[in-house]
Amino acid sequence: MNSSYLNFKDKHILVVGDVMLDRYWHGGTSRISPEAPVQVVKVSNIEDRPGGAANVALGLAKLGVSVTLVGVVGNDENADILARCLEEVGVTCRFVRSENLPTITKLRVMSRHQQLIRLDFEEREDSLSQNEALASVVEECLPESDAVIFSDYAKGCLADVQTLIALSNTANVPSFVDPKGNDFSIYRGATLVKPNLLEFETIVGKCSSTKELEEKATALRKQFGWKALLVTRGEDGLILLSDDKPPFSLATAAKEVFDVTGAGDTVVAVLTAVYVTSKRFIDAVEYANQAAGYVVGKLGTASISAERLEAIMFQRSHTSNFGVLSPDDLLAQIKLAQMNGEKIVFTNGCFDILHPGHIAYMKQAKALGDRLIVAVNTDASVKRLKGEKRPINHLVHRMSVLEGVGAIDWVTWFDEDTPKEIIEFLTPDVLVKGGDYTIETIVGADHVLAHGGEVKVLTFVDGYSTTAIIEKANL
């Protein structure tokens, strides 16, 4: 996915759900109470953080997304504290205030990074007037929204979520649900639903294998009319089921797990933000997986910035599975990528002296799919095509420079005068050529088309030529 997708600043996402205030009392423990055999905590620091759906909104704001948060809170001081915490980072709060309910507050007593006890302050009241007030605010916010997230913690705010999903569909706004409970029919018609494995198996029963999970997930998705279903499985990674595509699975990106608090909030936040820019579930899941891997390596509820996420994805794309690969090694990676529903784009050339025209061309080519392969003529091949004085730069140097171009995922080589053999060997999904070609004159086009692929001709940027650069240098 092109890193320009991480510019979320022109996107607006609506978050609706159970908002909470997470309060932490931190202090040291050095003695036992004389009143009972319990530790005495001398509180030295009090910390307030947004929790529940409010944490989802916070995560989106950290990504640079414009966010509006809708939820039910009490008419109390904790609601004011929560609003201040969120508005400081740019979240617009549209709270429905209740005279009968307190703001949900979770108080955690911490000592030496360990939680000693948690005290919950909450009450639940499902009322028609509350549901109607919530629906009215949501309906008012939808026209300005690129997507809506329903963050359900089973605290009562989303008691009538079916009405809210219907409003979203009427407004043509995609909806993403982080569900709870044992009745997923209430989320019927949502765009994507994201249960964890326990929540999923509560609905469909125990899954003894990945195949059984995929079959039950496919059936559930179709039953409730979701475009996609994402099951998060902790250390076993993620599985995405979407319309007319094979199951897409990813291993967990987490290297070390210190705290899973808020990981689900991070997944749904990043998932939605990336989807509204790329319009591709696979892109969204890849980024969400990396974000979750990052936050579970941090103590306490953590968020991730767009810059951090982009850096993680850049580092991932430059592992040993990417970059310069032999044709044989590359074929194995292509098959794996295609199994996961990714579209492979192929182009080729000598690329003796890389110039801005080449870079613009690579960006255009990458935008046609998910992974871009650049196959480079060997030195012997270039000499046969261009003459004894070429190439200026040897194959290793040319491939090394191409490897550093952000739009390119894989670089490989071929020794023949044309790329016919390597195209037939790799069988990409999209074959791209730049210049004054027609599809009929592009080498390998017939093979790609015969296998259900596409062939595209792109126009080079005017004013740039390797030959012209060389001639000017010789002057």
Side-chain angles (χ1 to χ4, degrees):
M1 185 178 126
N2 194 308
S3 62
S4 64
Y5 286 156
L6 293 188
N7 183 8
F8 302 125
K9 297 188 183 302
D10 64 339
K11 303 302 179 184
H12 185 276
I13 294 175
L14 175 65
V15 180
V16 185
D18 297 299
V19 298
M20 310 172 194
L21 178 66
D22 284 341
R23 176 161 287 164
Y24 295 81
W25 288 359
H26 299 273
T29 53
S30 58
R31 63 192 182 95
I32 302 297
S33 170
E35 302 166 357
V38 295
Q39 291 179 312
V40 174
V41 179
K42 184 179 180 182
V43 177
S44 57
N45 182 42
I46 296 176
E47 181 182 9
D48 290 324
R49 303 178 189 171
N55 188 50
V56 177
L58 177 65
L60 288 166
K62 293 290 182 69
L63 287 169
V65 178
S66 176
V67 191
T68 297
L69 174 63
V70 178
V72 178
V73 297
N75 194 15
D76 53 28
E77 182 183 4
N78 284 358
D80 297 334
I81 293 171
L82 184 57
R84 283 198 299 270
C85 289
L86 291 163
E87 288 166 357
E88 284 175 359
V89 295
V91 176
T92 300
C93 298
R94 296 290 305 274
F95 292 154
V96 174
R97 298 227 178 196
S98 171
E99 297 293 339
N100 302 319
L101 299 174
T103 299
I104 298 172
T105 303
K106 296 180 179 180
L107 171 60
R108 298 170 176 88
V109 180
M110 310 287 294
S111 183
R112 296 171 183 168
H113 303 299
Q114 291 186 332
Q115 185 177 149
L116 302 182
I117 192 171
R118 192 181 93 182
L119 298 89
D120 289 2
F121 303 86
E122 64 177 87
E123 293 178 28
R124 174 167 177 164
E125 178 187 64
D126 297 337
S127 68
L128 180 61
S129 60
Q130 176 182 297
N131 293 339
E132 288 178 343
L134 197 74
S136 177
V137 176
V138 169
E139 188 171 21
E140 183 181 333
C141 295
L142 281 170
E144 299 177 354
S145 304
D146 294 293
V148 57
I149 295 173
F150 295 110
S151 179
D152 196 347
Y153 277 77
K155 303 298 183 183
C157 177
L158 295 178
D160 190 20
V161 68
Q162 185 58 216
T163 294
L164 304 180
I165 292 172
L167 289 172
S168 303
N169 291 338
T170 300
N172 199 29
V173 176
S175 54
F176 294 74
V177 179
D178 199 350
K180 275 291 185 293
N182 55 12
D183 180 11
F184 278 13
S185 68
I186 62 174
Y187 308 120
R188 185 185 302 275
T191 304
L192 179 146
V193 176
K194 183 208 72 64
N196 61 35
L197 182 60
L198 177 60
E199 291 163 343
F200 175 74
E201 290 185 332
T202 298
I203 303 300
V204 302
K206 191 74 174 175
C207 298
S208 58
S209 66
T210 298
K211 182 180 179 182
E212 183 181 1
L213 186 153
E214 292 172 352
E215 290 173 348
K216 289 182 175 180
T218 298
L220 192 68
R221 184 187 68 77
K222 292 180 178 178
Q223 179 184 355
F224 295 132
W226 305 325
K227 288 186 178 179
L229 171 64
L230 177 65
V231 181
T232 61
R233 304 188 296 163
E235 62 183 17
D236 293 322
L238 314 170
I239 293 183
L240 172 73
L241 290 304
S242 58
D243 284 338
D244 304 321
K245 290 190 176 180
F248 176 73
S249 60
L250 281 176
T252 179
K255 295 179 175 62
E256 292 183 290
V257 177
F258 288 102
D259 194 339
V260 298
T261 305
D265 296 337
T266 296
V267 168
V268 75
V270 173
L271 182 83
T272 308
V274 175
Y275 179 79
V276 297
T277 53
S278 75
K279 304 301 181 185
R280 286 176 46 81
F281 290 121
I282 289 176
D283 288 342
V285 169
E286 284 188 324
Y287 275 77
N289 186 44
Q290 294 298 320
Y294 171 79
V295 299
V296 298
K298 305 296 179 182
L299 188 64
T301 303
S303 300
I304 188 168
S305 67
E307 292 76 18
R308 170 70 68 177
L309 185 55
E310 185 172 16
I312 291 171
M313 292 301 289
F314 179 83
Q315 184 179 25
R316 173 180 173 270
S317 69
H318 288 73
T319 64
S320 58
N321 289 334
F322 293 85
V324 177
L325 293 179
S326 71
D328 287 335
D329 290 340
L330 178 54
L331 180 62
Q333 294 303 316
I334 290 172
K335 288 181 177 179
L336 179 61
Q338 288 174 329
M339 284 175 57
N340 284 331
E342 296 183 312
K343 183 183 287 187
I344 309 301
V345 183
F346 175 100
T347 193
N348 66 278
C350 299
F351 303 107
D352 198 0
I353 297 177
L354 206 62
H355 54 65
H358 289 138
I359 303 300
Y361 171 73
M362 298 302 178
K363 289 180 177 179
Q364 292 178 57
K366 178 60 176 289
L368 297 174
D370 302 294
R371 303 292 180 196
L372 175 60
I373 301 168
V374 176
V376 186
N377 297 71
T378 62
D379 293 351
S381 176
V382 175
K383 285 186 185 297
R384 292 193 297 270
L385 294 171
K386 305 287 187 179
E388 283 299 315
K389 292 184 178 180
R390 301 282 296 275
I392 302 299
N393 293 298
H394 294 306
L395 176 65
V396 172
H397 297 158
R398 287 182 283 135
M399 292 196 301
S400 178
V401 172
L402 287 166
E403 184 183 16
V405 177
I408 299 171
D409 295 286
W410 292 298
V411 181
T412 192
W413 62 89
F414 63 99
D415 195 49
E416 297 76 22
D417 290 351
T418 77
K420 182 177 185 295
E421 289 189 23
I422 195 166
I423 290 170
E424 292 180 352
F425 179 68
L426 299 176
T427 311
D429 299 301
V430 184
L431 174 59
V432 178
K433 197 66 180 173
D436 298 326
Y437 289 88
T438 63
I439 291 176
E440 293 75 15
T441 60
I442 295 176
V443 172
D446 54 347
H447 175 81
V448 172
L449 292 171
H451 286 78
E454 305 171 69
V455 180
K456 301 287 185 180
V457 180
L458 303 180
T459 303
F460 280 130
V461 177
D462 291 337
Y464 297 102
S465 164
T466 300
T467 301
I469 293 171
I470 293 171
E471 289 176 352
K472 186 175 181 180
N474 288 335
L475 294 176

